[in-house]
Amino acid sequence: MIYVMSDIHGMYDKYIEMMDLIDLKETDTLYILGDIIDRGVNSMKILQDMMKRSNVFGIFGNHELMMADCFNIITQEITNEFLDSFDEEKLMKLSDWMNNGAFQTIQEFKKFLLIYNRVVDKMKVVYPFYESVIIKKPKKVNV
């Protein structure tokens, strides 16, 4: 069976309610026709659930496009170069996204980054980036 959803807007509970209603099987396919993010408080949860499922495909809507246009803006370090390049077009794109519900998505992204950074920091302690291995010259054995 092929299913289609759209305009979820970060409403994870409604997303799960719909997933339960359709009872998506491995042999089924679900297309989500954009507007997965913004406005609601659980956009990241929805995206994470979608990534776990090999039969769920998201298609960019205007909200995902606005986020993609602004992603480099919100993730850059503020330097003189950045400020010099911050023109009216970038400001208008960011303003447009903010006026369409970006605040919740940005807040979620910040939480996600904090968790991600904590996990990476712990992994650095547990798993070294490299390991030194000393190989001694093998002894020649005559048989």
Side-chain angles (χ1 to χ4, degrees), residues 20-36:
D20 291 343
L21 183 66
I22 64 175
D23 190 27
L24 192 72
K25 308 271 190 287
E26 289 291 321
T27 55
D28 297 332
T29 303
L30 170 63
Y31 296 99
I32 303 180
L33 306 179
D35 295 354
I36 299 161

Side-chain angles (χ1 to χ4, degrees), residues 100-115:
N100 280 284
F103 183 77
Q104 294 296 341
T105 302
I106 292 170
Q107 295 306 309
E108 275 192 273
F109 187 69
K110 284 171 36 181
K111 287 179 197 172
F112 179 78
L113 282 179
L114 285 173
I115 294 167

Side-chain angles (χ1 to χ4, degrees), residues 52-70:
K52 291 178 193 174
R53 301 172 187 263
S54 62
N55 57 343
V56 175
F57 303 93
I59 299 172
F60 262 41
N62 62 317
H63 286 262
E64 288 78 22
L65 186 58
M66 286 185 280
M67 183 184 76
D69 284 344
C70 295

Side-chain angles (χ1 to χ4, degrees), residues 77-108:
E77 180 180 354
I78 299 175
T79 63
N80 286 335
E81 284 179 12
F82 170 77
L83 293 173
D84 288 343
S85 73
F86 196 76
D87 58 12
E88 187 176 349
E89 180 184 355
K90 288 180 183 175
L91 181 59
M92 292 306 293
K93 284 182 179 186
L94 187 57
S95 176
D96 188 34
W97 186 36
M98 292 301 292
N99 288 331
N100 280 284
F103 183 77
Q104 294 296 341
T105 302
I106 292 170
Q107 295 306 309
E108 275 192 273

